[in-house]
Amino acid sequence: MLGALTTLLIYQLIGEVLLPLSGALLAGPATAIVSVLGIGWALGASETTLLSLAPKSVTAPIAMGISEKIGGIPSLTAVLVIWRLI
């Protein structure tokens, strides 16, 4: 009986938290990308630099692959990702 009650409570908590958590998981990265591109554009960064800045919120190997695919400079992206961690 206690196991079933515990399971029911866990499912209720997950149901209450799932929608706000999903929204936060989508809004966070979107905000990071928009803000870094906006600041870079406002400071006069070139298009290639902006494309290198966009994927900086993920790990270095993934960011380098994304940067290469979208036309950025993978080495610049790697430096920006690692610099963010310091």
Side-chain angles (χ1 to χ4, degrees), residues 33-76:
I33 292 169
V34 169
S35 64
V36 76
L37 291 177
I39 292 168
W41 177 78
L43 293 175
S46 68
E47 182 180 350
T48 306
T49 303
L50 290 174
L51 292 172
S52 300
L53 283 169
K56 76 170 194 62
S57 295
V58 295
T59 62
I62 294 172
M64 290 174 65
I66 293 170
S67 179
E68 186 176 16
K69 294 262 187 213
I70 64 174
I73 305 168
S75 56
L76 176 59

